[in-house]
Amino acid sequence: MGNEASTPVSEDVPPITLTARTVEAVADYIKKNNVKRIVVMTGAGISTSAGIPDFRSPNTGLYANLARLNLPYAEAVFDISYFRNNPRPFYELAHELYPGKYRPTVTHSFISLLNKKGMLLKAFTQNIDCLEREAGVPGDKLVEAHGSFATQRCIDCGTEFPDDRMKDTVAIKEIPYCERTRCEGLVKPDIVFFGEALPESFHRSRSLPASADLAIVMGTSLTVQPFASLPSFVREETPRILINLERVGGLGSRADDVLLLEDCDSGVRKLADALGWRDELEELWETTNPSRSERKKQEAKPKDKQADLDARIEELTRGVDKTLKLSEDHQRQFEKDFAKRPDTGKLDVPAGLAKSVTAAEHKKQSEGEVNDRKSNGSDLSHIYPHLDSKSVDKPSL
Ligand code: APR
């Protein structure tokens, strides 16, 4: 249940199902066994080449960059109690991240190609950018575990808010309020915030990995429960392939785990080559191309892409910083209230975290993240003030 061995399987342990722990062997297995029940599990890493920053990459990640702003902690932007008091930072981000500005990546198109071939059992995503839908993955094959921008409602009375009004309001960086008379509560997209439950669709589908004949995990740090437990629900003898810049979760600890520790777009192209699907994949991805010039941008040399991503994250944080400055007094008022918040003993968990994560686990997890950052110089101790004595005066969870 979620906690797998973190030690990689040793070289001399042969695979049970695959002929080897390689991409070619996975392609062979797919073709020879008429594999039709593939589960895909993804995170923010599959959208970075579209220009959307991920959360935890040390320098370009959203949290590392929001950390320098005077938020109580970076994830406050997705915290329901913070949002109630100061929705501005979230709507500054929403303006940048709102669907319609970004093109699906070739990784999104690979997932759509699996569906077209009748081989996709379910695509579980933590992303809120709706790029899987834009790449052609149908709603019944998709579980948006942390919600998405697709719909929105009043956080007080639950009344749905019209899509077109939402789009227009976010476009001009306004804050939408409920249109029901005598309510006027804050409107929020159906994204899972800190302290909110995951959608029913996630709980209904979480038994599917146990009946899959292949699992593909891409672009996620697997740090947020309950999503992070999904790969461990796959049967022992079912092959799992991780396509990610770094090894994460318990992937690599089983005899039929394959690790492709690289950029996911190049990883899915390697798998497509081995399957003989490369032309089909590129053609399908081409259909998502809004314009030729856009294609040039997407295919920019990695260093340009990195520079482009850095510039975007800079612009994003400047915007949030500006709104935070505007609401400085708002902030002081909120921090006063926040500090007075009754200690319910309940852990407010980051968007997507299950209620079941204990305070100790969360602290350990946060320590792990803080230590990672300390080691590479982007110390985020003020994100996790409880870990850092210096910041005892800051509100902490
Ligand atoms: N190719 C492959 N892997 C990548 C790429 C890429 N181009 N870019 C980033 N990665 C990897 C990173 O190395 C990291 O392991 O993807 C992972 C991204 O991890 P996170 O930033 O933590 O994103 P994610 O796993 O989606 O976060 C989960 O945390 O804050 C919450 O609700 C939020 O859904 C989010 C959840």
Side-chain angles (χ1 to χ4, degrees):
M1 197 35 198
N3 306 319
E4 286 192 277
S6 58
T7 39
V9 65
S10 68
E11 282 302 306
D12 46 22
V13 171
I16 307 162
T17 308
L18 297 172
T19 51
R21 284 189 277 273
T22 62
V23 188
E24 293 69 24
V26 172
D28 223 26
Y29 162 74
I30 290 173
K31 288 185 277 194
K32 289 217 173 90
N33 296 278
N34 188 25
V35 165
K36 288 267 176 249
R37 298 173 61 79
I38 300 177
V39 287
V40 179
M41 301 155 185
T42 54
I46 71 166
S47 298
T48 49
S49 72
I52 304 174
D54 71 6
F55 292 92
R56 294 177 181 79
S57 280
N59 301 311
T60 53
L62 210 53
Y63 291 149
N65 285 276
L66 289 180
R68 32 192 168 88
L69 309 178
N70 66 342
L71 289 159
Y73 49 92
E75 288 167 317
V77 187
F78 296 110
D79 178 316
I80 192 70
S81 32
Y82 186 87
F83 177 80
R84 274 185 188 284
N85 285 281
N86 184 6
R88 249 186 210 299
F90 170 74
Y91 274 105
E92 184 63 36
L93 274 193
H95 174 77
E96 293 302 326
L97 299 178
Y98 209 68
K101 291 182 173 175
Y102 302 98
R103 176 188 175 187
T105 65
V106 70
T107 300
H108 292 102
S109 293
F110 181 80
I111 302 168
S112 179
L113 185 58
L114 289 175
N115 177 61
K116 280 183 178 318
K117 289 177 174 290
M119 300 163 78
L120 180 66
L121 175 58
K122 197 66 90 173
F124 293 85
T125 185
Q126 299 169 91
N127 298 345
I128 57 178
D129 53 35
C130 301
L131 288 182
E132 295 86 359
R133 293 170 188 243
E134 292 191 32
V137 181
D140 66 320
K141 288 291 172 84
L142 186 59
V143 172
E144 292 160 320
H146 295 172
S148 83
F149 278 109
T151 50
Q152 53 285 322
R153 69 199 67 250
C154 171
I155 60 172
D156 289 338
C157 72
T159 307
E160 281 230 16
F161 190 80
D163 294 354
D164 49 349
R165 301 252 305 100
M166 185 67 172
K167 203 165 159 33
D168 298 344
T169 313
V170 171
I172 52 172
K173 296 194 188 180
E174 291 284 307
I175 296 176
Y177 288 91
C178 184
E179 296 181 330
R180 221 179 64 142
T181 39
R182 284 196 304 285
C183 177
E184 282 144 36
L186 269 169
V187 168
K188 177 179 83 63
D190 290 336
I191 292 170
V192 179
F193 267 40
F194 250 120
E196 289 191 310
L198 270 73
E200 226 349 85
S201 60
F202 176 83
H203 299 292
R204 261 199 320 276
S205 310
R206 60 190 292 173
S207 59
L208 288 177
S211 63
D213 46 21
L214 174 67
I216 306 177
V217 183
M218 300 189 274
T220 176
S221 61
L222 288 181
T223 42
V224 173
Q225 292 295 355
F227 190 97
S229 294
L230 287 175
S232 67
F233 298 160
V234 172
R235 278 168 302 166
E236 198 63 33
E237 68 281 10
T238 301
R240 303 183 306 180
I241 179 166
L242 170 70
I243 307 178
N244 203 61
L245 289 177
E246 56 180 349
R247 184 166 172 257
V248 292
L251 274 297
S253 60
R254 293 184 181 183
D256 286 278
D257 282 354
V258 177
L259 299 181
L260 206 45
L261 301 184
E262 63 182 84
D263 175 87
C264 49
D265 291 349
S266 68
V268 295
R269 284 185 162 118
K270 268 189 194 150
L271 185 49
D273 283 338
L275 286 161
W277 297 355
R278 182 65 183 271
D279 293 346
E280 258 181 296
L281 174 61
E282 300 299 346
E283 267 157 46
L284 184 60
W285 188 50
E286 187 55 25
T287 61
T288 68
N289 183 354
S291 70
R292 201 142 294 286
S293 59
E294 171 68 22
R295 170 85 183 227
K296 291 262 169 306
K297 228 169 81 190
Q298 287 277 342
E299 285 173 346
K301 289 187 291 311
K303 90 169 164 35
D304 304 350
K305 220 181 271 185
Q306 192 55 52
D308 178 36
L309 199 56
D310 290 346
R312 289 190 35 62
I313 191 86
E314 198 37 52
E315 181 195 324
L316 210 65
T317 27
R318 244 200 328 276
V320 178
D321 200 10
K322 202 161 66 5
T323 51
L324 284 172
K325 291 234 170 359
L326 285 177
S327 56
E328 202 108 77
D329 42 321
H330 208 122
Q331 185 71 20
R332 267 193 292 283
Q333 182 55 41
F334 169 62
E335 278 178 353
K336 256 193 2 263
D337 302 347
F338 200 80
K340 275 196 318 249
R341 188 168 66 160
D343 176 6
T344 59
K346 178 172 75 61
L347 181 69
D348 279 350
V349 288
L353 275 179
K355 301 277 175 292
S356 60
V357 173
T358 63
E361 270 169 18
H362 190 61
K363 183 164 178 295
K364 198 165 101 269
Q365 208 171 57
S366 319
E367 258 159 358
E369 291 195 353
V370 171
N371 295 337
D372 290 355
R373 293 243 160 16
K374 281 210 166 87
S375 59
N376 46 47
S378 57
D379 168 14
L380 303 180
S381 52
H382 48 295
I383 294 189
Y384 305 98
H386 47 291
L387 297 178
D388 176 28
S389 51
K390 285 196 309 303
S391 51
V392 71
D393 56 335
K394 286 193 182 163
S396 69
L397 286 175

